[in-house]
Amino acid sequence: MEAQTRQVFTNLRAALAAAGAGWEHVVRLGYFLRDASQVGVVRAVRAQMPPDGVDPAASLIEVSGLVRDDLLIEVEALAVVPAGS
């Protein structure tokens, strides 16, 4: 779970950068976990990723499966970038 969570956040950082955004633009995160009891692992990794002061709203949903059987986590992010940024 830790390795997959780190990879998700690394991918998210790259996607934000490609869109001209950063962590400061993320207003909401949605977590989809195969095992909600692993939320502590997710929180620990997340605490290391965004810069200080960035704490978007979040929700967590436990799911029975994801697009591939080997995936344990999926994260969806909503970022708002002001016009002209």
Side-chain angles (χ1 to χ4, degrees), residues 33-57:
L33 302 181
R34 297 273 310 269
D35 179 0
S37 72
Q38 296 295 307
V39 68
V41 174
V42 175
R43 287 179 178 150
V45 173
R46 183 184 134 189
Q48 299 168 11
M49 300 306 256
D52 288 341
V54 175
D55 192 20

Side-chain angles (χ1 to χ4, degrees), residues 20-39:
W23 278 109
E24 67 277 11
H25 298 109
V26 176
V27 296
R28 181 165 169 24
L29 293 169
Y31 298 95
F32 300 88
L33 302 181
R34 297 273 310 269
D35 179 0
S37 72
Q38 296 295 307
V39 68

